[in-house]
Amino acid sequence: MAQQDGTTGSERIVGLSKPAAVERVVDADESRDPDTVRAVLDHVTEDGIVTADGVDSAVTDTSMILSTAETRVELASIDLDDAREAAGDDAAVGAVRSRLDVFEAKVSNATERVESLGERVQGLSGWRDDPRSVYDTVLGLREVASEAQALTAHADNVQLDIEEFERWLSTHDVRVRGLDGDVAALEQSLDGLADRVAFVADGKDADTPEAGGDDRATEWYNAALRTRVSDLLVEDVRAELADLRELAPESAGEDDGLGDAAADLDELDARVERLRGRLDDLARPSWTDEYGARIESFEATLAAFEPPVSWGAVQAELDDARVGDDG
């Protein structure tokens, strides 16, 4: 039968001095770090003694921290409802729908997490009748508190993102600036890709590992993957441009601020094709023999993505396909 402090055997520590409690907990499981045990027990120590009141206070404190997280998640959910209402019929536009879908996933995940933490606190609050050790109870409470604090910060960030989305939704100029930023980021990405192609080209006569042949083979392959991703990125930004034109107010007319972005995308699209053609020209039979099928497989994978694109998923596919340290 469990003791009054919720522990049995060698880890019954309520009423012990903190040093004695630390020693007992570590003796019961030598994998535990004494400094970590000491830090955990600090939260239930009063006047140098591990007390039942200290554990009860830890339960109360953790419940309060979790309550804050619950409130912030609920506020994020309310903000999401408001954003959906503000979107109205525009929610059917891809650029709007994709953003709302992201917020929906984040809020849903946060809600599930906060509910799970609530169940954990509920289970830990009955510690006096729980056969687990006081140390494990307090450690569990500290873990819940830490996760709840992180969840609070996450929910706050989601709220800020939703507020930014509502500004984007209501203001054409904000949407134009966002698109211009996407175009600039694409241009910067292609600058990096051009450097990689130049590396391959500079070693075009090097066939041996001593001359860097192996490095250039993998660099050629990784660059080839990135050209395929760049094709998809251009397509995605073009789709965003089309959506922004659909969202543009009638008062914007032909001078909607999107013409420069359209021209820039045409130029960047042509640049991707030039880089891809350059890599094709640089390819050696041994490289295509080794990597050709993998490139084709990657192309097939990317073909499943359609705008608006989940770039986290694309990045995961790229990370899985590339070779070596291609950060």
Side-chain angles (χ1 to χ4, degrees):
M1 182 176 178
Q3 303 290 332
Q4 184 182 4
D5 64 359
T7 66
T8 58
S10 62
E11 289 190 79
R12 187 170 185 268
I13 59 175
V14 168
L16 294 180
S17 68
K18 188 170 73 173
V22 170
E23 182 178 359
R24 180 166 293 184
V25 170
V26 173
D27 285 346
D29 185 347
E30 294 182 355
S31 67
R32 292 167 175 160
D33 175 62
D35 290 336
T36 299
V37 173
R38 192 173 297 109
V40 170
L41 294 183
D42 277 343
H43 298 281
V44 294
T45 299
E46 300 176 352
D47 297 327
I49 303 297
V50 176
T51 68
D53 286 345
V55 180
D56 288 337
S57 295
V59 172
T60 300
D61 292 346
T62 302
S63 297
M64 292 177 63
I65 293 170
L66 180 57
S67 178
T68 298
E70 290 170 341
T71 299
R72 302 298 176 80
V73 171
E74 179 63 24
L75 290 173
S77 180
I78 292 171
D79 284 353
L80 177 56
D81 289 340
D82 291 343
R84 288 197 197 96
E85 184 176 351
D89 292 340
D90 287 337
V93 177
V96 178
R97 185 185 67 252
S98 64
R99 287 165 168 83
L100 288 173
D101 286 348
V102 169
F103 297 139
E104 175 70 37
K106 289 182 177 180
V107 170
S108 177
N109 176 262
T111 300
E112 291 176 1
R113 287 171 59 193
V114 82
E115 290 175 352
S116 176
L117 292 177
E119 292 173 359
R120 288 181 63 186
V121 170
Q122 185 65 32
L124 293 167
S125 64
W127 66 276
R128 293 175 186 272
D129 298 317
D130 194 324
R132 84 187 77 194
S133 71
V134 163
Y135 175 75
D136 285 337
T137 296
V138 180
L139 180 61
L141 290 169
R142 296 312 304 162
E143 290 173 346
V144 169
S146 178
E147 291 179 30
Q149 288 170 333
L151 188 53
T152 294
H154 172 70
D156 288 345
N157 287 335
V158 171
Q159 282 187 270
L160 292 173
D161 289 343
I162 292 174
E163 290 174 7
E164 180 62 29
F165 164 75
E166 290 183 311
R167 285 192 290 272
W168 175 90
L169 183 66
S170 63
T171 310
H172 179 67
D173 288 346
V174 172
R175 296 194 292 271
V176 172
R177 288 196 296 272
L179 183 68
D180 288 342
D182 289 342
V183 172
L186 176 54
E187 183 175 7
Q188 185 176 14
S189 175
L190 292 183
D191 287 343
L193 178 57
D195 289 341
R196 294 176 182 274
V197 174
F199 176 87
V200 177
D202 287 345
K204 59 185 177 182
D205 295 326
D207 285 319
T208 64
E210 293 79 6
D214 286 348
D215 287 343
R216 289 183 173 86
T218 57
E219 190 73 11
W220 174 84
Y221 167 68
N222 289 328
L225 297 182
R226 287 186 176 275
T227 61
R228 275 65 176 178
V229 171
S230 295
D231 278 334
L232 183 59
L233 182 53
V234 171
E235 180 184 354
D236 191 48
V237 179
R238 280 194 189 282
E240 177 89 358
L241 170 62
D243 287 343
L244 296 198
R245 282 183 165 152
E246 185 173 351
L247 293 170
E250 292 183 5
S251 58
E254 293 184 2
D255 186 20
D256 57 9
L258 298 170
D260 288 344
D264 289 342
L265 281 173
D266 288 341
E267 182 179 337
L268 294 174
D269 195 6
R271 187 179 181 192
V272 173
E273 291 307 308
R274 289 195 299 272
L275 289 170
R276 184 167 175 170
R278 181 61 172 145
L279 284 172
D280 289 343
D281 291 341
L282 293 168
R284 297 182 187 159
S286 60
W287 298 355
T288 54
D289 287 346
E290 182 174 2
Y291 294 117
R294 295 171 67 173
I295 293 173
E296 290 178 2
S297 175
F298 187 67
E299 288 177 338
T301 297
L302 292 187
F305 289 91
E306 295 181 356
V309 174
S310 172
W311 284 102
V314 171
Q315 185 63 49
E317 294 290 352
L318 177 61
D319 291 342
D320 186 57
R322 66 188 181 183
V323 173
D325 184 10
D326 183 45

